[in-house]
Amino acid sequence: MNPRLGKLQVYPFERLRVLLAGVEPNPALRPIDLSIGEPKHPTPTLLKDALSGSLDGLAVYPRTAGIAELREAIARWASRRYALESLDPEAQVLPVNGSREALFSFAQSLIDGSVAGARVVCPNPFYQIYEGAALLAGAVPVFLNDGMPFSAIDWAGVQLVYTCSPGNPTGRVMPLDQWRELFELSNRHGFAIASDECYSEIYCDEAAPPLGALDAAWRLGRRDFRRLVVFSSLSKRSNAPGMRSGFVAGDAALLKSYLLYRTYHGSAMSQSVQRASIAAWNDEAHVRENRRLYAAKYAAVLPLIQRPLATERPAGGFYLWVRTPIDDGEFARELHRQYNVLVLPGSYLAREAHGVNPGRNHVRLALVASVEECTEAAGRIMRFAKAL
Ligand SMILES: Cc1ncc(COP(=O)(O)O)c(C=O)c1O
């Protein structure tokens, strides 16, 4: 067996299962699950219709690069969304089967694990795939804790930096100045940047969509997007996590090697899914409606979360990152036992680095259930917290 497999950490949901083993949730209350970031709003009819109208696609082996119409639809979408004057659908865009597999496989194609001291920088707390991707590619993950400056990192040996904006779980969005600094560091040290933007279309202020990395690069004059690749997805934007559809876009040279890797990896997107994806990227009305539903949940839930808990409205994404007055694991377990609400302990989403686990004493709430359920859950969480 590949000895690197032994380095993989237990996934947070498995840790949650172990934490809750043997705990009897209060049977008088119906269960509410805020632990998993799986969108629950209905998949738009236009997507389902486009998928069922394209079933002929099942009869062909798809090309790894995808059909030109999909790459063009993605390039048009990204150019509109990020005010880019050009994004070449032939060389700077690739469809992927959801951002997760791409975030993982990109590291396998990019990292030279034979170089001693190969390192990958991950945010902390973070989406766990970054760490597993780094380890299986033969690199060592290095963590940049939430709120720390880039100067906290020793950049020697760094081949890849993952960023996540809007962040999971914090919802923070990277501002232009931070991108400028990261691009300068990339120039100096030669590392690539993998910008995870899977939550880019979930935000509260219609007038201020989150800045994306392509956008930042374009504004800062990096019009070839050198050493930058962005990962985007329909899962959250279009409530279609089961469709497994996303894209990567950016540096043409990196994407050329990545396409070669993917050809052997065998990760071409079904043509039926490609056709449905075109319909999704071409429509914004369902995405605005999706944001409206999340905004209603934040408006209902945020005023309820008060001392001894603390949180703030995130700039993007659909989570609440809540500070707890007791250990986050104990908080999650007791909340489940007494009030039948599931939340994810923050320390499971982070690693001990620079002397702390930045997820400690936090829990993540995914506002994916209905507004009624989210409000009911927030009420129960407050009753629980006030009695601590
Ligand atoms: C930060 C982040 N990135 C990427 C993904 C993967 O999403 P998908 O593979 O559905 O595009 C998720 C899923 O929850 C996520 O939270």
Side-chain angles (χ1 to χ4, degrees):
M1 289 295 278
N2 181 345
R4 290 174 185 165
L5 283 170
K7 296 183 174 171
L8 295 179
Q9 303 266 345
V10 180
Y11 213 67
F13 297 107
E14 177 57 19
R15 291 181 69 184
L16 184 63
R17 206 184 56 75
V18 170
L19 177 79
L20 302 180
V23 176
E24 285 296 327
N26 184 342
L29 295 168
R30 72 192 154 97
I32 303 181
D33 188 353
L34 305 183
S35 67
I36 302 185
E38 180 182 57
K40 295 267 189 282
H41 302 159
T43 307
T45 310
L46 85 108
L47 241 113
K48 292 188 195 168
D49 288 349
L51 186 62
S52 58
S54 311
L55 294 180
D56 285 355
L58 298 180
V60 292
Y61 272 122
R63 288 182 55 218
T64 308
I67 54 177
E69 295 96 305
L70 174 59
R71 289 198 309 276
E72 283 158 13
I74 291 169
R76 276 196 307 274
W77 178 82
S79 302
R80 275 195 310 276
R81 169 66 172 84
Y82 299 119
L84 313 175
E85 279 159 41
S86 81
L87 186 67
D88 180 356
E90 272 303 304
Q92 293 178 308
V93 172
L94 264 187
V96 295
N97 295 314
S99 54
R100 178 181 180 142
E101 68 91 352
L103 287 160
F104 176 81
S105 56
F106 183 68
Q108 314 314 309
S109 83
L110 181 108
I111 288 169
D112 182 353
S114 68
V115 174
R119 299 180 337 138
V120 171
V121 174
C122 306
N124 194 26
F126 63 103
Y127 181 52
Q128 307 287 295
I129 299 304
Y130 315 149
E131 180 191 56
L135 290 169
L136 286 176
V140 173
V142 175
F143 296 102
L144 182 69
N145 292 359
D146 186 34
M148 273 190 172
F150 290 128
S151 57
I153 296 287
D154 168 9
W155 293 98
V158 172
Q159 295 187 15
L160 178 65
V161 173
Y162 283 104
T163 58
C164 186
S165 175
N168 171 6
T170 64
R172 263 189 258 298
V173 168
M174 276 177 69
L176 192 63
D177 278 351
Q178 234 173 331
W179 281 114
R180 182 183 287 111
E181 211 186 326
L182 192 58
F183 292 147
E184 280 166 10
L185 286 164
S186 166
N187 285 349
R188 208 171 322 143
H189 301 282
F191 58 76
I193 301 168
S195 175
D196 180 355
E197 305 187 2
C198 127
Y199 293 94
S200 68
E201 302 316 288
I202 314 292
Y203 51 89
C204 291
D205 183 353
E206 283 295 320
L211 179 70
L214 293 176
D215 194 353
W218 189 268
R219 290 193 209 183
L220 295 170
R222 299 170 79 86
R223 303 207 157 168
D224 55 0
F225 308 115
R226 61 186 168 282
R227 289 188 299 279
L228 171 67
V229 174
V230 162
F231 298 72
S232 190
S233 170
L234 290 177
S235 299
K236 324 283 183 187
R237 173 187 182 270
S238 299
N239 298 311
M243 203 161 79
R244 312 311 302 132
S245 178
F247 71 81
V248 300
D251 184 319
L254 291 183
L255 290 193
K256 190 168 176 216
S257 305
Y258 184 42
L259 174 59
L260 174 66
Y261 174 90
R262 291 181 70 76
T263 309
Y264 280 85
H265 189 64
S267 46
M269 182 190 291
S270 154
Q271 263 198 27
S272 308
V273 173
Q274 292 191 57
R275 295 274 171 209
S277 305
I278 293 173
W281 290 116
N282 281 344
D283 183 73
E284 288 301 327
H286 75 277
V287 192
R288 279 194 294 274
E289 171 59 12
N290 198 26
R291 281 196 289 273
R292 193 187 63 75
L293 295 176
Y294 285 119
K297 286 188 253 189
Y298 280 113
V301 167
L302 268 170
L304 303 178
I305 308 283
Q306 290 158 8
R307 278 159 60 86
L309 305 179
T311 192
E312 56 194 31
R313 189 181 185 132
F318 51 50
Y319 298 108
L320 274 180
W321 185 234
V322 178
R323 243 192 340 270
T324 60
I326 59 168
D327 173 76
D328 47 295
E330 194 184 331
F331 186 96
R333 195 181 53 235
E334 278 308 298
L335 177 68
H336 177 59
R337 195 173 66 76
Q338 296 178 32
Y339 287 93
N340 214 343
V341 175
L342 266 187
V343 298
L344 193 62
S347 58
Y348 293 7
L349 292 169
R351 297 281 175 262
E352 181 97 20
H354 311 276
V356 286
N357 178 323
R360 181 150 297 140
N361 293 346
H362 285 79
V363 290
R364 189 190 76 177
L365 317 187
L367 299 188
V368 289
S370 67
V371 67
E372 292 76 21
E373 272 197 310
C374 289
T375 313
E376 164 69 22
R380 289 190 209 171
I381 290 170
M382 279 319 297
R383 285 204 293 286
F384 169 70
K386 283 194 169 136
L388 286 174

